[in-house]
Amino acid sequence: MKLLILKSKSATYVASHFKPNGKLIFKLLTVGFLLSHSAIQAQEKKEDTQQATIVEDDYKAFNIGLHLKNMHTWHGFVVTPAPMLATNLEYNSRNKKFTFGLWGGAGFSATTTTNYNGEQVNASYKELSIYTSYHITDKFFVEAVSHNNYTGVEERGDKLHYWSYDKKQGYNFVDLNFGYQVTKKTSLYLATILAGRSGDYEVQTDGSLKDSYTHYFEVKSKVWEQDNNSLSLFAGGAWSFITDKTFYTEGKGNIINVGAVYGRKIKAANFELPVEVTAMWNPEKQKAVLQVDLRIF
């Protein structure tokens, strides 16, 4: 009982000497607010750091790709009629605007070419091209490509120089390209060959060479899409404002690339394999082919 009385007296004493007032409550609330605000800021900073880490982990500066094709076509040309592998290694900036890469192709079997002695010799398709592009906007990009196709260079009697852009040697040239996405389904593409390399010139009556600066223009539009299937149509033509002959034609400019691309994504378990089948017709050369492109990764 004495213990209870003592506790009661102590409580009464504390209550009488430490009565809460407005200033004390304000101070307690202020301290509590500051502590809670600091805790919230620390938590937010931690979450921001975690989020930034996740974004950084998602960014991949370098990428590789591998394609298996039954043949290789480009701008109305059959570059090689033999089955081939195409690979690429590229760097992409964090904002996805700038790209720099290497594109390589190698044929499985040899095709014939004529050497300087007039003999038919075998040569396998070999190419290692360099490309860089910059997306000025989401719809518009500019691109430069150094096409280095050295198939049959040594076999026909030329001396191989990877960085050679000799006009007459005929295997290295540079394209300056522009692309514009008109709508989600339709795109425009313009390529111009620079400096008359790889035979992009016309021989004049006095024997001099006049650069053609050949232009290639293509329109491509997706006309059908369902589930994992799509169909696009395209048409491309070549011309020169300077010469009659172009890089793609023997005479004046012409339509050189007409066709359709059927795309499909084949799913097997958790694996997705994109496939494209291109039916291409070159009216200038009266050539039609069917190309199959299997993107392995």
Side-chain angles (χ1 to χ4, degrees), residues 91-255:
Y91 163 80
N92 293 282
S93 63
R94 185 177 292 277
N95 60 10
K96 299 180 180 180
K97 288 182 176 291
F98 175 76
T99 298
F100 177 84
L102 302 172
W103 186 95
F108 286 131
S109 58
T111 56
T112 58
T113 186
T114 305
N115 63 18
Y116 288 130
N117 296 323
E119 302 169 337
Q120 294 291 309
V121 293
N122 292 326
S124 296
Y125 168 68
K126 300 182 288 291
E127 180 174 347
L128 179 57
S129 296
I130 307 168
Y131 62 92
T132 182
S133 65
Y134 185 79
H135 283 260
I136 298 172
T137 68
D138 292 338
K139 295 183 177 181
F140 180 65
F141 72 87
V142 59
E143 177 186 55
V145 183
S146 175
H147 299 274
N148 301 319
N149 182 348
Y150 46 97
T151 304
V153 173
E154 294 173 296
E155 288 84 352
R156 69 172 175 256
D158 287 333
K159 190 173 181 180
L160 180 62
H161 291 288
Y162 180 77
W163 297 107
S164 172
Y165 291 88
D166 185 87
K167 290 180 184 292
K168 295 180 180 180
Q169 198 168 22
Y171 59 94
N172 286 356
F173 66 96
V174 176
D175 257 338
L176 180 62
N177 312 325
F178 299 91
Y180 182 68
Q181 194 73 33
V182 182
T183 66
K184 290 183 178 179
K185 296 183 177 181
T186 303
S187 62
L188 306 178
Y189 177 77
L190 174 66
T192 302
I193 296 175
L194 304 179
R197 307 306 183 192
S198 192
D200 186 37
Y201 56 80
E202 186 178 72
V203 181
Q204 305 300 294
T205 53
D206 61 356
S208 63
L209 307 180
K210 189 173 183 179
D211 295 347
S212 297
Y213 293 97
T214 298
H215 305 288
Y216 172 81
F217 180 72
E218 182 180 291
V219 180
K220 187 176 183 180
S221 184
K222 186 180 292 185
V223 295
W224 174 77
E225 187 173 17
Q226 184 177 358
D227 299 329
N228 290 321
N229 304 272
S230 65
L231 180 69
S232 299
L233 303 179
F234 63 87
W239 77 97
S240 170
F241 290 116
I242 301 172
T243 63
D244 287 335
K245 176 188 174 297
T246 75
F247 179 80
Y248 305 93
T249 65
E250 292 301 324
K252 294 183 179 180
N254 203 347
I255 301 296

